Amino acid sequence: MERLAIIGAVAAGLAATGVLLNASNRLADRSGPAPQQTVGHPATATQDAPTGAATGATPEQRQAAPEAASGRQQKQAVLASRHMVVAAHPDAAAAGREILRQGGSAVDAAIATQLVLNLVEPQSSGIGGGAFMLLWDAKAERLTTIDARETAPAAAKPDRFLPADGSAPQWETTVHSGLSIGVPGLVRGLYLAHRCHGRLAWDALFAPAIKLAEDGFTVGPRLNLLLAGMGADAFGPTARALYFSPDGTPVAVGTRLRNPAFAQTLRAIASGGPEAFYTGPLAADLIARVRSAPNAPSDLTLEDLAGYRALVREPVCSLYRAYRVCGMGPPSSGALTIAQVLTLIEPLTRPGDPLAPAGVHAMAEAQKLAFADRGRFIADVDFVAVPAGLLDRGYLAHRRRAIDMDRAMTRAEPGEPPSRAPYEFAPDTSRERSGTSHISIVDDAGNAVSMTTTIESAFGARLMVGGFLLNNELTDFAWKPADDQGRLAANRVAPGKRPRSSMAPTMIFAPDGRLWALTGSPGGSRIINYTAKTIVAMIDWGLDPQAAADLVNFGSRNGPLEIEDSAAGRRLAAALAGRGHTINFADMTSGVHVIRVTEDGLIGGADPRREGVALGD
């Protein structure tokens, strides 16, 4: 894979189908201090050692982590010789595996898996949202990345979230309103992926989800818990009627839940392609629903829907201990931020024991520096000139000097990377939430898909049309377009712009060029740290995919060191005593899904913090 190739001409003949290749080749990176959110438990304020954390969570803390913890399920690494799917729900993974058994490609399986996830895990992803996809063509040794991120409507203005009376924006009011809803990108993204790498017929991929929607699926503990935590009054009337009884009780665990409206929507898209979603009766229903949203109507139009395009972008790849780690470029900040972290720690750490205090400390300090750059400079590259020097080795060597291996810094400031724009961006005011899912798939031919998919917060905007929930993705934009000095935020709202994301679908290639592993996770801006931990756990610490997913979560988003509130987390915090870290214990509900590709077959791991499984043959 010395010649890692990027699709450059697959757009031929696709313009009429509504897919478009992005001609932009800029890799702008530079981010600033990301706002900190105390998640799950209040911070412990000790300098040298953690103290006990509170057991409750305030409403603001629940907003910061709406995909709440729902317990752990002990899981074992799964072995397969032919193909494998790792996804966040057993029904979804089973649908993907069935497509692989029929001779479908990894992309075919990903489409079937995603459609079932929309039904059985509605809090996390679906056709009302968007996704980032990495597609590996084993025969051509070619990596393609697809941007199906949602976009702001043409009428959007930078002050979208600022109340007219000058008061502070209210998260809850904004999420459950039309202001938060972006143009969904997932259907066009899936169609583009299928046109490039599909093997079975498009309509055949909808059969598993249609059957489950019509016959019903069994409600599990996680969906029930999240519905109960959100409450019936948070939803629009259609979603409330589907998921709650008239008295506001959520559907019980074990209930056979049918969604005939979603089956009807899927049948339309299966037969009519993406145009059945972006034009016609379904599009008209979508616009009518968002225009009548509570709190504030949407300014989305039929023209916004019809004009949406999925984009093929260049991947971001970096070397870490001779492995090539690849992911999505802007508007995703995931790959750039992870690449900075890995490059910063490489000379400071060495392969050895998992969770060695020096290694964890180095990662946390590197994450502070990387998140500082991320928050200040990374945004939609079609609107913002992200500095091309964010991954410059000389620049990162200079940044590394700020890391004291004996003492934690409080907060990092953004750097001055080469090729940065000659103007200053404002500090970031984005509030990224974690209603997201990740899918990892390898097919019989060695082709692979790593796909992170989202509707933003848990249950998105909580408005339903056609049996699916709509995203609240626009709340990923900066809430304030400029600071008091008049500096503009890189991630400010603009017409047609895609909000910055932390989603980090990742593929890792061995020194000889072969695909070595694929991974990713949900988790809002913590996705970056979850994924970085998994990469280091496999490359440096020699853990198999399940052990890497099981490993205690930790990381900094340029503030306190967040550590998973568990016995293992408490031990890790104690081991870091004396290095000056301020510790936040939190329910860090990752959803890491990993496949390792070995000479003997595939090894899969699914995060024990959610309901995901690895299935293979």
Side-chain angles (χ1 to χ4, degrees):
M1 211 200 71
E2 299 287 335
R3 56 185 184 86
L4 186 67
I6 313 303
I7 282 189
V10 292
L14 296 188
T17 69
V19 291
L20 181 70
L21 290 188
N22 177 32
S24 174
N25 192 25
R26 292 171 293 164
L27 288 181
D29 333 75
R30 211 188 160 213
S31 359
Q36 291 305 303
Q37 303 152 352
T38 301
V39 184
H41 299 286
T44 58
T46 56
Q47 256 322 74
D48 296 321
T51 61
T55 57
T58 67
E60 183 173 339
Q61 289 163 353
R62 286 193 296 271
Q63 291 167 12
E67 288 243 33
S70 55
R72 291 177 69 104
Q73 302 176 8
Q74 185 173 356
K75 300 175 184 178
Q76 301 295 322
V78 174
L79 307 180
S81 60
R82 292 174 49 203
H83 50 234
M84 179 171 284
V85 179
V86 191
H89 192 281
D91 287 344
R97 183 176 60 174
E98 179 56 34
I99 293 298
L100 292 175
R101 286 173 170 175
Q102 294 174 21
S105 68
V107 163
D108 293 334
I111 294 169
T113 300
Q114 169 66 89
L115 296 175
V116 172
L117 282 175
N118 191 151
L119 179 70
V120 301
E121 196 196 32
Q123 71 271 16
S124 297
S125 69
I127 62 175
F132 291 114
M133 293 173 252
L134 271 61
L135 316 178
W136 173 244
D137 184 326
K139 183 177 180 180
E141 294 186 327
R142 182 172 58 199
L143 180 64
T144 306
T145 72
I146 293 179
D147 172 358
R149 183 70 160 160
E150 302 87 338
T151 57
K157 296 179 180 178
D159 61 353
R160 187 174 190 83
F161 305 122
L162 299 181
D165 61 5
S167 60
Q170 298 298 310
W171 168 260
E172 182 65 21
T173 300
T174 304
V175 168
H176 194 40
S177 79
L179 297 177
S180 71
I181 302 169
V183 181
L186 183 63
V187 173
R188 285 224 189 272
L190 295 178
Y191 193 69
L192 171 56
H194 185 258
R195 290 296 300 268
C196 294
H197 295 289
R199 191 176 300 152
L200 301 183
W202 168 257
D203 60 354
L205 310 177
F206 289 69
I210 291 172
K211 179 173 175 55
L212 276 175
E214 291 180 336
D215 296 347
F217 69 94
T218 302
V219 173
R222 183 165 178 77
L223 177 56
N224 170 268
L225 181 146
L226 292 174
L227 287 168
M230 188 68 69
D233 292 341
F235 290 83
T238 306
R240 177 177 174 139
L242 179 63
Y243 296 126
F244 296 87
S245 64
D247 68 357
T249 303
V251 288
V253 175
T255 300
R256 197 77 177 166
L257 185 62
R258 295 171 175 82
N259 188 341
F262 188 52
Q264 182 177 351
T265 293
L266 292 179
R267 289 187 184 281
I269 300 171
S271 62
E275 297 309 312
F277 182 91
Y278 291 96
T279 64
L282 182 58
D285 288 348
L286 191 157
I287 294 301
R289 180 58 48 87
V290 301
R291 288 295 182 91
S292 62
N295 299 316
S298 173
D299 46 10
L300 273 173
T301 66
L302 287 170
E303 290 73 21
D304 290 322
L305 288 176
Y308 181 85
R309 298 294 182 265
L311 305 175
V312 171
R313 297 191 185 272
E314 292 193 16
V316 169
C317 294
S318 63
L319 288 177
Y320 181 66
R321 308 204 195 280
Y323 290 82
R324 186 174 294 274
V325 180
C326 295
M328 284 295 313
S332 173
S333 64
L336 284 167
T337 310
I338 289 170
Q340 280 199 330
V341 170
L342 296 177
T343 302
L344 286 166
I345 69 170
E346 188 167 11
L348 300 177
T349 63
R350 57 186 178 183
D353 295 334
L355 301 179
V360 172
H361 172 80
M363 285 187 69
E365 298 303 282
Q367 287 162 348
K368 291 174 185 176
L369 294 167
F371 268 84
D373 275 359
R374 168 193 178 270
R376 185 63 60 89
F377 301 111
I378 300 179
D380 186 343
V381 73
D382 294 329
F383 288 77
V384 174
V386 180
L390 278 177
L391 301 185
D392 181 87
R393 292 270 168 172
Y395 167 66
L396 292 174
H398 177 77
R399 292 285 276 166
R400 193 181 295 117
R401 296 174 191 168
I403 297 177
D404 182 339
M405 288 298 291
D406 296 318
R407 195 72 180 171
M409 69 180 88
T410 302
R411 190 177 184 86
E413 293 299 320
E416 297 288 338
S419 305
R420 56 158 293 194
Y423 47 83
E424 286 289 339
F425 286 121
D428 185 44
T429 56
S430 305
R431 305 183 183 186
E432 189 174 348
R433 300 303 194 249
S434 56
T436 304
S437 198
H438 182 80
I439 301 166
S440 293
I441 300 178
V442 176
D443 67 20
D444 292 12
N447 307 308
V449 172
S450 180
M451 171 178 166
T452 310
T453 172
T454 185
I455 55 170
E456 178 53 0
S457 296
F459 303 102
R462 306 167 211 158
L463 295 175
M464 180 171 279
V465 62
F468 61 90
L469 290 163
L470 295 168
N471 71 84
N472 66 295
E473 213 65 61
L474 300 188
T475 57
D476 269 0
F477 281 118
W479 284 54
K480 294 175 63 177
D483 64 10
D484 294 339
Q485 302 176 43
R487 296 177 298 180
L488 298 175
N491 191 37
R492 65 190 180 277
V493 182
K497 191 174 182 179
R498 298 168 191 234
R500 188 189 62 214
S501 170
S502 295
M503 291 189 284
T506 300
M507 291 189 182
I508 306 170
F509 297 88
D512 64 2
R514 61 184 174 82
L515 179 63
W516 189 80
L518 50 155
T519 188
S521 177
S525 56
R526 286 175 174 158
I527 288 172
I528 291 165
N529 295 340
Y530 296 151
T531 307
K533 180 208 75 171
T534 306
I535 294 168
V536 171
M538 291 192 292
I539 293 178
D540 283 357
W541 301 336
L543 299 185
D544 68 41
Q546 190 59 57
D550 291 347
L551 198 66
V552 62
N553 284 322
F554 63 88
S556 174
R557 294 176 288 172
N558 201 14
L561 173 55
E562 298 174 313
I563 298 179
E564 189 171 8
D565 194 6
S566 64
R570 298 282 170 159
R571 289 193 296 270
L572 175 60
L576 292 168
R579 296 181 189 263
H581 288 283
T582 298
I583 305 293
N584 276 6
F585 289 107
D587 290 328
M588 300 177 73
T589 313
S590 57
V592 174
H593 291 150
V594 196
I595 299 176
R596 267 277 284 115
V597 182
T598 76
E599 293 181 355
D600 298 322
L602 307 171
I603 308 172
D607 203 306
R609 301 162 185 85
R610 301 197 185 204
E611 296 173 333
V613 296
L615 297 178
D617 296 312

